[in-house]
Amino acid sequence: IERTLSIIKPDATRRNLTGKINAKFEDAGLRIVAQKRIHLSPAQAGKFYEVHKDRPFYGELVEFMASEPVVVQVLEGENAIAKNREVMGATNPANADAGTIRKEFALSVGENSVHGSDAPETAKEEIAFFFSGLELVG
Ligand code: GTP
Ligand code: MG
């Protein structure tokens, strides 16, 4: 059994899509074992996305992620990392498959509604960034 870190981004929380997005995760067999709504500071968002600091869109990404509340959550299931990324769809909604979260809800490549960890090591780090062990209820 595997765990991954998911973020419902500001474009989605703003449009009251948290429940619809969570239904997609649960329908795919992913269990939400931790969840909280927070408003990231620019410094916190910058730290979370530090791996992208040299990319041209870094400033825009950090500003967006700190603009309004997000819902951070831990999803658990068989192959949770890959399964979550499948449910999310491609980064750019124009390239996302039908039925995926980004195809249905994302506004643009930047405002793309969800984040999901991309590998076991990053999942571990990203979960620890937001949650203590006591908050994970499997
Ligand atoms: P995450 O799950 O959010 O990490 O998405 P990803 O793994 O599909 O994409 P990637 O890690 O390459 O990029 C991280 C995030 O940066 C994306 O989800 C977008 O929100 C944002 N991003 C990526 N490319 C662009 C871009 O060209 N323009 C803008 N404004 N944002 C981008
Ligand atoms: Mg990524």
Side-chain angles (χ1 to χ4, degrees), residues 68-81:
E68 286 183 86
V70 297
V71 172
V72 294
Q73 49 194 188
V74 178
L75 308 179
E76 182 183 274
E78 290 297 335
N79 299 311
I81 296 168

Side-chain angles (χ1 to χ4, degrees), residues 52 85 115-116 118:
H52 295 310
R85 292 184 71 81
H115 163 85
D118 58 14

Side-chain angles (χ1 to χ4, degrees), residues 4 14 16 18 23 25 28 32 40 49-50 57 59 67 72 75-76 90 102 113 117-118 121 132:
T4 192
R14 185 197 335 129
N16 285 351
T18 299
F25 294 143
I32 301 162
L40 291 168
Y49 276 117
E50 207 158 30
F57 55 82
S67 66
V72 294
L75 308 179
E76 182 183 274
R102 283 167 168 166
S113 303
S117 306
D118 58 14
E121 194 48 43
S132 76

Side-chain angles (χ1 to χ4, degrees), residues 81 117-127:
I81 296 168
S117 306
D118 58 14
E121 194 48 43
T122 46
K124 204 175 160 196
E125 287 171 16
E126 291 179 1
I127 289 169

Side-chain angles (χ1 to χ4, degrees), residues 62-108:
V62 168
E63 187 184 359
F64 166 59
M65 292 299 289
S67 66
E68 286 183 86
V70 297
V71 172
V72 294
Q73 49 194 188
V74 178
L75 308 179
E76 182 183 274
E78 290 297 335
N79 299 311
I81 296 168
K83 191 176 281 182
N84 179 39
R85 292 184 71 81
E86 208 175 287
V87 175
M88 286 163 56
T91 308
N92 186 340
N95 303 325
D97 290 338
T100 62
I101 291 168
R102 283 167 168 166
K103 183 64 176 189
E104 286 190 21
F105 303 126
L107 301 176
S108 65

